[in-house]
Amino acid sequence: MTRSTRAAERRQRIIQTAIGVFAERGYAASSTAQIAAEAGASKETIYAYFGNKAGLLREALTSLVAAPGGSVVAEPARRIGSSAELREHLMSLAIGLVTDLTQPQYLALARIVVAETPRDPSLPELFRDAIAGRVLSGVANMMAAGQQAGMVDPDIDTSAAARAFVGPLLTYVLLDGLLRPPAEIHRPTAEVIGTQVLLFCRAIRPQSDQR
């Protein structure tokens, strides 16, 4: 095993440990010393990799959505060849996004962000950078690729379209995930998500296709 491989594994072990510690104890009650001890690392290593506890929380949030197989890691926009493929990519992204964001560990960290914001106003920015910004950027890029291929109305603002796509999905995360006890998390079915995707695809079609 190479030195870089060992370093990568150590870094990932720290992130996974931090997710568990933050979810169990909350952000304020967790310390880098606790996380380091449980991960079998030193505080100096944590500071070298992540800068501080806030940076470690950012990486913990990001890792839950951007892990291999996560919904916003891939760049399917380069492989869109038809309206059917665009809808298929959006469907896959929507299902993956809702699944990712309703993970119990993710919801626990999201509750931390909400609860700790009065004490640490920087946390919402961490949340936006780690999750919302990444998701919205990915969808906006997909819309731009769809415009270039003639499958998305060229007059649509891609950033606004991204918000229009993600917004309804987040209602499931909020109402059926964040605001429910962990044992009662309810994910929408593929059919329900498919209806949302269909409505969105109809809205972004070129005007000439809607006549």
Side-chain angles (χ1 to χ4, degrees), residues 35-206:
I35 295 169
E38 294 195 20
S42 66
K43 288 196 300 181
E44 289 73 18
T45 298
I46 289 181
Y47 293 137
Y49 285 159
F50 310 104
N52 52 30
K53 187 169 73 168
L56 183 52
L57 177 60
R58 178 189 287 112
E59 289 295 325
L61 286 166
T62 303
S63 71
L64 288 174
V65 176
S71 60
V72 197
V73 182
E75 297 180 8
R78 294 181 299 178
R79 300 188 295 275
I80 294 174
S82 67
S83 296
E85 285 187 24
L86 175 61
R87 181 175 171 185
E88 180 181 339
H89 284 307
L90 288 171
M91 182 67 177
S92 177
L93 190 151
I95 290 176
L97 180 62
V98 172
T99 300
D100 287 346
L101 298 190
T102 52
Q103 294 178 70
Q105 286 184 319
Y106 169 81
L107 293 174
L109 295 188
R111 292 187 183 99
I112 287 173
V113 172
V114 174
E116 299 296 334
T117 291
R119 286 176 287 274
D120 187 349
S122 70
L123 288 180
E125 184 176 350
L126 296 182
F127 182 85
R128 286 192 295 267
D129 290 346
I131 308 300
R134 184 183 180 88
V135 173
L136 292 173
S137 176
V139 178
N141 289 339
M142 191 182 300
M143 293 298 96
Q147 287 177 328
Q148 293 178 355
M151 292 175 285
V152 174
D153 191 326
D155 294 327
I156 287 178
D157 182 281
T158 57
S159 296
R163 287 177 179 267
F165 177 75
V166 173
L169 300 176
L170 292 184
T171 64
Y172 297 108
V173 177
L174 175 64
L175 300 178
D176 300 326
L178 195 62
L179 298 181
R180 286 178 178 264
E184 298 179 14
I185 294 172
H186 176 72
R187 294 190 179 101
T189 64
E191 289 75 14
V192 169
I193 293 179
T195 298
Q196 295 285 353
V197 172
L198 176 60
L199 291 172
F200 178 77
C201 287
R202 287 176 176 173
I204 63 173
R205 287 184 305 176

